[in-house]
Amino acid sequence: LPDAVRQGLVRVRPATFGRRRIAWSWILAIGLPPLATALMDIDAGAIDRSSKLLVYTLGVAAIALIGGFLPAALAAVASFLLANWFFTAPYHTLTISEPEHLISLVTFLGVAAIIGFYVSVAARRSLESARFRSEAETLAAMAGTMGSSTALATLAEQVRFAHHSGRRAREV
C-alpha cells in the first residue's frame, strides 16, 4: 500500500460494483439460465449436452463479470438443475441414471463456480486499480499545488473532480 494509505491520508474502501450493475446481474442470474434452456430445447437433439453446458458456463462467466460471485453462483446452480431436468436422462426428473452424466454435471458446477469466482475477483481488482489510479493522480496534483497562492482553490477542485470520477467508476 502507498504511504498515504498507511498513514491514513487516503481512505481506502473496498471496490464494489455499482447498484445498477448488481441489479442487472441478479436479473440475468434469474433470467439467463431459463432463456438459454428454452433456446437450446427448441431442437434438443441438435446440440449435445457438453456443448449446452459450455453455453451455461459462458452465461455464468458473463454474470460474474457484471455483478460478482453470488449472482454467478445462483446462475451456476440454476443451470445445473435445468441441465439435469431438460438435458439429462431420465428427462424431466432430477434423477441421474448414468454415472457419466453425474460426473459431467458436477464438473460443470465446479468449473462454473471457479470461473465465476475468478472473473469476479478480476473485475473487482480492475475497479480497485481505477480508484487507486484516480487517488494517486489527485495526490500528485495536490503535491504540485502546495506552493502556489491559489493552492486551496485548486486543491478543492481536484478533490471534487476525483470524488465525482470515483463515483462514476463505482457505478459502472
Side-chain angles (χ1 to χ4, degrees):
L1 290 174
D3 288 335
V5 172
R6 277 189 295 233
Q7 295 172 3
L9 299 175
V10 177
R11 194 173 66 142
V12 176
R13 295 178 311 267
T16 59
F17 298 111
R19 286 185 211 146
R20 188 176 347 160
R21 198 169 158 168
I22 291 173
W24 272 109
S25 70
W26 284 106
I27 290 167
L28 288 172
I30 293 166
L32 193 59
L35 178 63
T37 302
L39 292 173
M40 291 186 291
D41 197 38
I42 291 172
D43 190 8
I47 305 170
D48 67 346
R49 190 181 62 259
S50 62
S51 296
K52 291 173 183 172
L53 293 177
L54 288 173
V55 169
Y56 286 129
T57 303
L58 179 62
V60 169
I63 291 166
L65 185 61
I66 294 168
F69 177 71
L70 290 178
L74 173 66
V77 170
S79 298
F80 170 86
L81 294 172
L82 288 166
N84 186 10
W85 184 266
F86 287 98
F87 306 123
T88 305
Y91 301 105
H92 306 292
T93 69
L94 293 178
T95 306
I96 300 173
S97 61
E98 299 289 325
E100 171 187 319
H101 299 318
L102 177 64
I103 291 169
S104 68
L105 285 171
V106 170
T107 301
F108 156 73
L109 186 60
V111 168
I114 290 168
I115 288 172
F117 175 76
Y118 281 109
V119 167
S120 173
V121 167
R124 286 191 190 282
R125 289 206 175 136
S126 176
L127 287 172
E128 285 176 352
S129 174
R131 194 183 79 243
F132 284 141
R133 184 173 40 256
S134 174
E135 290 173 357
E137 289 171 359
T138 300
L139 288 172
M142 288 169 38
T145 62
M146 293 315 243
S148 74
S149 60
T150 59
L152 190 55
T154 305
L155 177 61
E157 182 63 25
Q158 288 289 334
V159 169
R160 187 186 65 73
F161 179 75
H163 174 70
H164 289 294
S165 296
R167 184 183 306 162
R168 279 195 302 268
R170 283 192 306 275
E171 291 174 354
V172 174

